[in-house]
Amino acid sequence: MTSSKNFKKNLTYSDVYNCPVCRHGEISAIPLMEAFACNFCRHIFTANLEKQLLKMADSQIPLTWRWDGQNWRGMQRQGFEVGWFYWIAGMAFVMIPPTIVGVGAYLFPPLPSDPLFWFPFVWTPLTFLCHLACLLWLVVEYYQFPVLMYLGAITQRLWIR
Ligand SMILES: [Zn+2]
């Protein structure tokens, strides 16, 4: 494969591309079929060469990528931009609840003799982590990054070794 940065190529069945799912393997056309397959994660893709689109064929989730000549771009949902407002709302969603819990525990600390004295020290970080996980899940969903498939491909590779 040519590693030149400025080299652009179109999506065709005669070429080899890096896999948009595992980002480890390479996808190439399956002989006698208008489809691509990855040599690492074994996923199968169908392509729309006119629109330079690649669609995962063996998945329930409608994952689609557009080839920009050098890289795969996850297809954004039409007519919806992630603006600064969403990032601020996301940060507030992650930061405000643990702050409330933490400030509450700081202003009204439990008695050291209380059997649940440790509770605020666990609950505050747990609140933070749970809200962060919700936000990350939304980001992953929005950008269509197939986390589970990626992890599956990595584990598969470790097992094969
Ligand atoms: Zn792959």
Side-chain angles (χ1 to χ4, degrees):
M1 231 172 99
T2 317
S3 59
S4 167
K5 276 277 174 192
N6 297 321
F7 181 73
K8 282 200 172 200
K9 62 180 179 181
N10 283 332
L11 180 63
T12 62
Y13 288 118
S14 55
D15 247 320
V16 173
Y17 307 87
N18 59 335
C19 174
V21 174
C22 62
R23 291 164 200 271
H24 263 282
E26 290 183 328
I27 60 168
S28 53
I30 306 171
L32 305 176
M33 282 179 77
E34 294 197 334
F36 287 93
C38 175
N39 63 0
F40 176 70
C41 64
R42 308 269 171 223
H43 281 296
I44 293 172
F45 308 88
T46 55
N48 181 335
L49 298 184
E50 272 175 39
K51 292 180 180 170
Q52 299 281 292
L53 294 178
L54 189 75
K55 195 177 173 206
M56 188 184 267
D58 54 356
S59 163
Q60 301 263 325
I61 320 160
L63 290 173
T64 309
W65 298 268
R66 191 175 58 78
W67 179 253
D68 70 355
Q70 287 176 322
N71 270 310
W72 296 110
R73 305 242 170 256
M75 292 291 286
Q76 309 271 328
R77 280 159 185 76
Q78 297 287 315
F80 184 79
E81 283 278 313
V82 178
W84 56 271
F85 170 77
Y86 291 97
W87 289 110
I88 290 176
M91 294 303 284
F93 177 73
V94 172
M95 293 312 295
I96 290 176
T99 307
I100 292 172
V101 174
V103 167
Y106 178 77
L107 293 178
F108 307 102
L111 298 172
S113 58
D114 196 291
L116 287 176
F117 175 74
W118 52 270
F119 191 72
F121 299 102
V122 175
W123 193 245
T124 309
L126 201 65
T127 311
F128 173 76
L129 289 177
C130 288
H131 285 80
L132 184 67
C134 289
L135 183 72
L136 288 178
W137 179 74
L138 283 172
V139 171
V140 161
E141 278 288 304
Y142 181 76
Y143 286 104
Q144 292 200 348
F145 182 71
V147 179
L148 290 178
M149 288 174 194
Y150 183 77
L151 291 177
I154 295 291
T155 9
Q156 209 178 2
R157 185 179 180 149
L158 290 175
W159 274 105
I160 287 167
R161 274 186 187 172

